[in-house]
Structures are given as structure tokens and as C-alpha cells.
Amino acid sequence: MIPAALNDAAFIIMQLEPSELEDIKALRDTLRHFAVFDAEASPQVRAHAQQAATQLNLILLGAGDEPAALLASASQAIAAAVKAAEEAGRGAVRATLTDLVAIVRDESDVEALAEAMDAGVPPAPTPVPARPTDRAAVAVAPAPAPVTPVPHVPAARDGGTIPDDADLSLLADFIAESRESMTGAEAALLALEANPADSEAVNTVFRAFHTVKGTAAFMGLDRLAEFAHHAESLLSRVRDRELDYTQPVADLSLRSNDVLGEFLDAVEKSVQTHEVITLPSDYAALMHDLLHVDAMLAGVAPAAPAPASPAAAVTRAAVTTAPVGRVVEPSARTVARADSDLSVRVRTDRLDRLIDMVGELVIAQSMIAADPAVTAVGQHDLVKKVSHAGKIMRELQDLSMSMRMVPLKPTFQKLTRLVRDVALKAGKVVEFITDGEETELDRNMVDAIADPLVHMVRNAVDHGVEGPADRERSGKPRAGRVTLSAFQQGGSVIVELRDDGRGLNRDRILAKAIEKGLVSPSQSLTDSEINALIFAAGFSTAEQLTDISGRGVGMDVVRRNIESIRGRIDIQSVLGRGTTFQIRLPLTLAVTDGMLVRVGDERYIVPLTSIALSFRPEREMMSTIPPHGEVVMLRGEVMPVVRLHQLFGIPGAVRDPSAAILMIVGEGEHRVALLVDQLLGQQQVVAKALGDGVGEIPGISGGAILSDGRVGLIIDVARMSALVRSGDPRPRGVPVAA
């Protein structure tokens, strides 16, 4: 019997090119593992496997002969290993037959049977009469008809265990890198569904599954390796044109990718709990489908590949640039070479700790720079040195912050899969376009907006985009379009979600809000304020409930999550033409570029990205307009005035606006004017949470230690604007600033 590892190696090496170093490395590691750990293989078989691994290693080292010649030598060594395994298998069968026939003491049959086995065609078995011996009589009966083996379906927790000698650090790297491979594989599968002829997408998925299989086998995760092998075999048949990439095959492939991801989660949990690996819930059913692909497809009418699938996923960047990138193979090292750059994996808790320490260092440096001993007259050399240290600190801070910036691409790719699944379930045709997925954002910010984007995209497909028949009746293309884009604007990142669907019906929204008691029938609301009503908890205008959406759960969570990271969400909609959601986010929560202002004896920090302008108003610019209260007229625009000393109960503040400063903050209809005593200058501060002891302060997002050692509170412009426009500019129970 030929070992499965050798069969796979013989198949893979025929497909390899000398330039495919990642796959060569994976095959080398597989052969090395086989040569060392496969105790059932003969020494000769393992020696040939080791020889092949050595030839492949020479290719990776760039030593020896030409890579093509080394690859040919490795192929010959694998072929020799396969042949040796075949001979060893025939020898084992031959020895078994010798023992069997010796029992009946008919040595003449031994040679005939052995010759037949050497020829590869075993003779038809014939009945052998029992002969009296000193042993129990044995009869050789005709062999029964071959029976197709029934695959073993393991129990729900029969996923094996982590080997006792497993390297846990290497296992953690394997899990992390395999997840990256699965993310890339999912994107490639969706691209393949839109274009079944995309051979590079097939190869990307095949390499991902093969890499997980090989490394899982090396780590002793046999059940995971077995499943990855069957999933890889399905893609192998697609790659070899044995199967068309139809809808059922696409579903099987995507399910396989999901189960591999769940398997990795189960392995990670097993490492932490030291329990048996729990198999994914869909494991048994999916294994059955993978083992009986042909039977399953036989009951499905084959469909010709269409130019676009029911839920096409198109990435604009992929249209204008190179195809999906190669998946980096997991290795025993944490350092991997990709695109001539070196990268290293760092634990997130260590990275967060580094950024915190750099922040503390920045605070300490600013306190030193503001110390009277440094700023005293005559300390020119000391001031110069402190200034130079400050410059280095700013560069160090920028560098440390950039280490925590990650692209939005993985998040966008997950949403591509979501659009496909929701569109298929809702019976809609949706084209999903992403743009600006390389835009970077703080990792914590990316995690915070993941769930809001899921809710918004699901609603856009389920509620926003009409069905194909409805779109045709309204003169639209059958395929709806949902576009998700991201770009940087100033010190913020803008994430926009647009659809060309039915748009928001403001009359219906207002009627529902009045019915629920959210607004008064006599209340006059702008279009923007009516649109914002969809963020109310439990608000929904859906006529019927589905398992996708329509229960009014989600949009209130969206706004709450976005505002919790000092972001803002706005809506623009045209009935019958579509809706645009725009999310504005700060680049990071750790550092804030702000304007330091004084109100009485207190100091506040207003984020620079929120400031439009500052000015000292004339008396005639100020007035009072019910129900908005005090307002200022600036260039024909009326804006509410927020007196911070009233809002936070600060004594000793300037009360005459003409003797103070007004800061216009916010954007569009959300702009308000903050009344402060004095502008103290621009300052970059390290934002800190107020902590559970202080609790939440309306209009305040956090605090920062200033250069004089005092604490300055950071103004949350979005929430403060919401407070003012809600008609409650001075909430009860608001504590006085620190």
C-alpha cells in the first residue's frame, strides 16, 4: 500500500514550477516529516523521501544545479519511493499468502500465488479443501463481493487531542497563519464564483488547503489534516477540469473553508482547556458530501458557468491590479519573507503595552519641556537638547502607532461573503464592489466597526436592494449594486456604504416614529433628523419578519458602537434611488491632536479634526431663538451656542461672548459653537479612559495628562452636539470637570 503522503507528493510535484518556492517548501516539509515519523514505511522508502526533500531544499537555498534539474531529481526520488512502497506492499501480501498456504501444507501453490502477485494480477480464488493437520482445519473460501466501505463518521467530540510533545508556540503560529490563509481562500472562492475560468483563484484556494493539510499533519492534528485533504481533493478536481465550478461545488468549497476555520478555533480552545478537540457542527455532513461528491452532483442538474453568479463579488482593486495574492505558507519560524520585506508576528498585548509605554514617555517628555528649570532664561543648550528629544519622541510615537495600523481588507472580504449568502437567501441579484480596502486604521478601531458594518451591509442587501422583478419594473438593472469604500480625509477615515435600492421612505419612517411615541405629531423635523430615527432602539419599518432582519435590532447598536469610538454616522437617501451611510472615524484612539482651551480654571481638549474655525463674536451676532435657545449667526448660518461653563458647572468662567471665544465644531447640520475663555494652543495628547470610578460623562470621551501634570478632559463633539439638539444642553447629574 502506498502511503497517502507519497501519493500526494507524486501528484503535487508534477504541477510544480521551480519559481513556486512556497509550495516547494511545503512539499519539502511534508517529505521530511514522512521520512522521520512514518514508522510503517520501510527504510528504503523513507530514504528516497529524504533524498527528494534534500533536492527541494537545495532549490530553496539556491545552491547546486539549475532549479529545474533539482526539481526533476526530486521527482525521480519520489517515484523511486512510490515504487519501493509498491514492492514492499507486494512483499507483505506475498508473505501473508505464504503463511496461509503453509497452513494447508500445499507449498506448490505458494509460487503460483507469488508469481501472480508479482505480475499485479492476483488469480481468482478457488475453494481449497480442508486437510487434516495437527492444527485446526482451515478452509480458503471464495472471496466475498467487494463492499464499498462506509466512511467513519466521528462523534461530536472525536476531533483528537493536541499531541503531548506539540510545540505550543509553533501551534499558535500555525493557527494564526492558517486563518490568514482561510481569509484569502474565501476571497478567491468568491472571485472564482464570479469567474469560473479564473485559474489563479483555483490555485490560491488549492495552495491554502494544501498548506493547512501539510502543516496540520506535521503538528499531529490528524483529523484536521484528513478533512483538509478531502477539501483539497475537491479543488484539485476543479483545477484539473474534472468538475465544473457550479453553484453546488461553490457551496461545498465555501462550507469547507468555514469548517476549517471552526476547526482552527476548536484547536485553539483545546490548547487553552486541555480538552479533546470538538469537531465543527457541520463536520460529519460535510465529510459525507465531500466523500460522495459525484453522487451528490448527480442529483443536481449541471448549470453552465454564467458570466456573473447570483451574488457576484467584485473588488475594484482586483480589476485594475494583479490577481489575488499568493498565500504565505505557515512555517516553524515567525519570520516570513514576502515581497522582499521581512515581517515578524508580535503578540497584541505586547504591542499594546509598548504603545502605552511610549505614551507615558511622551507625557514625561512634555512635562520636562514645560518645567520652569528648562524654560528659565539662559538655558539655551538645555532647551535645545530637550527640543531635540521631543522631536525624537514624536517620531517614536508615530512609528509605534503605525505598528498598530492594519488595512480594512480582511474586514471587507468577510463582508463579500456576507453579501453572497444574504443575496442567495433573499433571492436577489447583488453586485458588491469594494474600494479603498488598503486604507489603514487602528486595529482596535477595525475590531470596533466590524459588527456595525455587518448590520449595515445585511440591511442594505435585505431592505435596500429590491428583488430582480421589482428592479426591472422600475427601470433598473436586475442586479443591484452595493458599494463599500474607505478613504482618508484629514485626520479621519471615512467609510461609505452605498446602495442603489429603494431608499428610505421618510413619510413611513415618521409615521412609525409617531406611532411608537418617539416624536410628537406637531414636531417639525428635517430630512436628516427623520433619517436618524432609524437608529432608535427597536425601530423597524419592515412589513414582515425574516430570519435575516426586520426586528429593529442592530441599527441602534451600530450608532452606539460607532459613537463609542468617537465616530459619527450620517445618512443621505433619495427615495427610489438608494441610500448612503457615511461613517467618520478617527485614525486612532490612542493619540489625539487637539486644541487646548481654558474654561474658568479648567482645561479641555477639543479634537482638531472637529474644529472648523474659532472667532470672537460681536454682540449683534448673538441672539436667542426658541426652542433652540442661544444661537450665533455666522455667514448666514444659525448655530446653537454651548456654554461649557454651564454644561459642566465651572465657576469663574467668562460669561460675555464678546469677551470670550466661540469654536465652531462638527459638520453640516450638526455644527455647534462652543464658548470658551481662551485658546491655549495646539497639543498632541495621549487619550486615556476615565475609568469605572468616574463613569460616563455626557459630552466627554476621555482624559489626558497635560504638560503641567494636570488632567484635561477631551470633548466628544458628536455627543455634545446631540445633547444640544435634543433640547437638554445641561443634563442633570453631570459632574464638575477634574
Side-chain angles (χ1 to χ4, degrees):
M1 179 178 179
I2 304 174
L6 283 184
N7 261 334
D8 290 344
F11 172 77
I12 292 170
I13 199 166
M14 291 189 296
Q15 314 292 327
L16 284 180
E17 296 293 336
S19 59
E20 297 177 329
L21 299 182
E22 291 91 347
D23 292 340
I24 290 176
K25 185 178 180 183
L27 182 57
R28 179 205 64 183
D29 292 343
T30 300
L31 290 170
R32 281 180 172 177
H33 181 266
F34 170 79
V36 174
F37 296 106
D38 197 327
E40 296 182 0
S42 68
Q44 186 180 10
V45 173
R46 287 189 286 172
H48 286 306
Q50 183 60 52
Q51 181 184 359
T54 301
Q55 300 297 316
L56 295 176
N57 194 51
L58 290 175
I59 297 176
L60 296 173
L61 296 175
D65 301 330
E66 290 294 325
L70 293 171
L71 194 62
S73 299
S75 179
Q76 293 173 1
I78 292 174
V82 171
K83 184 176 180 181
E86 290 176 344
E87 293 176 352
R90 283 198 295 266
V93 173
R94 187 172 178 177
T96 301
L97 289 174
T98 301
D99 293 340
L100 180 62
V101 179
I103 294 174
V104 298
R105 301 191 177 185
D106 189 354
E107 299 296 334
S108 61
D109 289 345
V110 176
E111 294 301 326
L113 289 171
E115 289 175 3
M117 290 302 301
D118 287 340
V121 182
T126 55
V128 179
R131 300 183 182 180
T133 65
D134 54 348
R135 304 184 184 183
V138 177
V140 180
V147 178
T148 303
V150 178
H152 168 64
V153 179
R157 296 181 57 84
D158 188 16
T161 57
I162 305 297
D164 295 334
D165 58 347
D167 186 333
L168 296 184
S169 63
L170 181 57
L171 187 60
D173 292 337
F174 160 66
I175 293 173
E177 294 180 4
S178 295
R179 283 173 175 158
E180 291 181 5
S181 297
M182 294 301 97
T183 300
E186 182 175 88
L189 285 171
L190 294 172
L192 185 63
E193 191 172 13
N195 180 17
D198 189 349
S199 59
E200 182 59 29
V202 178
N203 291 332
T204 297
V205 183
F206 182 84
R207 284 192 293 265
F209 287 179
H210 175 71
T211 298
V212 172
K213 181 191 75 171
T215 312
F218 176 78
M219 299 298 301
L221 305 173
D222 297 333
R223 189 70 71 189
L224 174 57
E226 177 190 13
F227 178 80
H229 169 72
H230 291 295
E232 173 194 36
S233 298
L234 176 64
L235 267 297
S236 174
R237 296 182 64 185
V238 173
R239 185 177 68 170
D240 296 340
R241 309 294 183 184
E242 295 180 15
L243 284 178
D244 292 332
Y245 195 76
T246 55
Q247 188 68 53
V249 177
D251 291 340
L252 269 181
S253 302
L254 287 167
R255 285 172 60 198
S256 299
N257 196 71
D258 292 342
V259 168
L260 281 174
E262 293 179 27
F263 225 131
L264 294 171
D265 293 340
V267 171
E268 186 176 46
K269 182 179 179 181
S270 176
V271 172
Q272 298 169 352
T273 61
H274 306 288
E275 296 179 353
V276 175
I277 299 172
T278 302
L279 290 175
S281 56
D282 196 28
Y283 176 87
L286 186 54
M287 276 290 288
H288 178 273
D289 291 345
L290 290 174
L291 290 168
H292 302 86
V293 173
D294 294 326
M296 187 197 73
L297 295 180
V300 180
S309 66
V314 180
T315 302
R316 185 174 298 169
V319 174
T320 57
T321 59
V324 180
R326 300 175 66 87
V327 178
V328 179
E329 176 227 347
S331 65
R333 300 175 180 267
T334 56
V335 179
R337 183 177 299 273
D339 298 331
S340 302
D341 292 331
L342 290 177
S343 60
V344 60
R345 291 189 178 276
V346 180
R347 286 173 48 181
T348 54
D349 58 338
R350 293 180 180 176
L351 181 58
D352 292 341
R353 179 62 177 160
L354 170 65
I355 292 174
D356 289 341
M357 293 304 297
V358 171
E360 297 296 334
L361 197 56
V362 169
I363 294 172
Q365 194 278 333
S366 64
M367 296 176 69
I368 293 173
D371 193 283
V374 176
T375 58
V377 179
Q379 300 291 339
H380 300 296
D381 289 342
L382 182 58
V383 170
K384 183 178 179 180
K385 293 175 182 177
V386 172
S387 177
H388 181 64
K391 179 182 178 182
I392 295 174
M393 282 306 309
R394 285 191 295 272
E395 293 179 355
L396 177 60
Q397 188 177 36
D398 292 341
L399 178 61
S400 62
M401 290 306 307
S402 67
M403 294 170 62
R404 203 163 66 175
M405 305 293 281
V406 296
L408 288 166
K409 184 175 182 178
T411 302
F412 281 17
Q413 287 180 343
K414 293 177 182 178
L415 295 174
T416 303
R417 172 69 183 281
L418 175 69
V419 170
R420 173 197 181 271
D421 293 345
V422 174
L424 286 174
K425 201 165 191 177
K428 297 181 179 179
V429 183
V430 179
E431 181 184 11
F432 184 57
I433 299 175
T434 60
D435 189 21
E437 56 188 11
E438 297 301 330
T439 303
E440 291 188 337
L441 202 60
D442 189 297
R443 176 181 56 81
N444 295 335
M445 304 282 286
V446 173
D447 293 341
I449 67 170
D451 286 343
L453 285 177
V454 166
H455 286 297
M456 293 166 63
V457 169
R458 183 186 291 117
N459 283 347
V461 177
D462 191 35
H463 292 310
V465 176
E466 311 95 328
D470 292 338
R471 291 181 64 87
E472 285 186 334
R473 281 194 294 268
S474 59
K476 295 181 179 181
R478 284 179 58 85
R481 174 172 292 187
V482 176
T483 303
L484 182 63
S485 60
F487 55 92
Q488 189 170 338
Q489 187 179 83
S492 303
V493 169
I494 309 297
V495 179
E496 281 189 351
L497 177 66
R498 301 191 301 275
D499 68 71
D500 65 347
R502 55 175 58 94
L504 296 180
N505 188 328
R506 278 185 278 272
D507 293 337
R508 192 170 166 190
I509 292 173
L510 185 58
K512 195 73 173 181
I514 293 174
E515 177 187 333
K516 287 182 168 290
L518 298 175
V519 296
S520 169
S522 60
Q523 192 172 350
S524 177
L525 299 177
T526 64
D527 288 349
S528 178
E529 290 171 335
I530 295 175
N531 291 341
L533 289 173
I534 68 173
F535 294 115
F539 185 87
S540 175
T541 59
E543 296 180 353
Q544 59 183 4
L545 301 182
T546 69
D547 56 352
I548 301 175
S549 56
R551 292 170 172 78
V553 178
M555 293 309 292
D556 60 321
V557 177
V558 166
R559 183 169 64 176
R560 186 163 60 249
N561 287 5
I562 291 174
E563 290 181 351
S564 69
I565 53 177
R566 302 206 304 271
R568 191 180 76 245
I569 180 169
D570 297 318
I571 308 173
Q572 295 178 353
S573 182
V574 178
L575 187 62
R577 296 178 58 184
T579 305
T580 299
F581 290 86
Q582 185 182 85
I583 303 174
R584 181 179 294 270
L585 302 166
L587 281 172
T588 177
L589 294 176
V591 177
T592 300
D593 287 317
M595 178 64 69
L596 187 63
V597 302
R598 180 178 64 83
V599 180
D601 292 332
E602 303 300 332
R603 305 289 187 271
Y604 293 91
I605 300 151
V606 182
L608 282 180
T609 56
S610 301
I611 301 175
L613 59 92
S614 302
F615 67 101
R616 177 161 290 176
E618 302 292 338
R619 292 184 184 274
E620 57 271 16
M621 299 172 65
M622 308 295 297
S623 59
T624 301
I625 302 178
H628 300 290
E630 191 175 18
V631 297
V632 60
M633 175 73 74
L634 177 65
R635 300 170 185 170
E637 182 180 358
V638 178
M639 286 169 287
V641 174
V642 181
R643 292 177 176 259
L644 290 182
H645 66 88
Q646 288 184 353
L647 186 63
F648 297 119
I650 303 171
V654 177
R655 297 179 179 274
D656 183 3
S658 63
I661 299 293
L662 281 179
M663 301 179 66
I664 307 300
V665 298
E667 288 189 3
E669 298 178 355
H670 301 279
R671 297 211 295 180
V672 297
L674 300 182
L675 183 67
V676 300
D677 295 0
Q678 183 183 4
L679 304 182
L680 300 179
Q682 180 180 340
Q683 186 170 342
Q684 189 178 68
V685 297
V686 179
K688 301 285 187 180
L690 296 180
D692 297 335
V694 177
E696 183 178 352
I697 300 178
I700 297 297
S701 62
I705 301 176
L706 305 177
S707 57
D708 58 0
R710 300 176 63 182
V711 174
L713 298 180
I714 301 173
I715 299 294
D716 187 334
V717 172
R719 291 191 179 184
M720 184 163 292
S721 174
L723 284 173
V724 174
R725 295 183 179 277
S726 67
D728 187 12
R730 188 177 179 181
R732 297 179 181 179
V734 175
V736 177

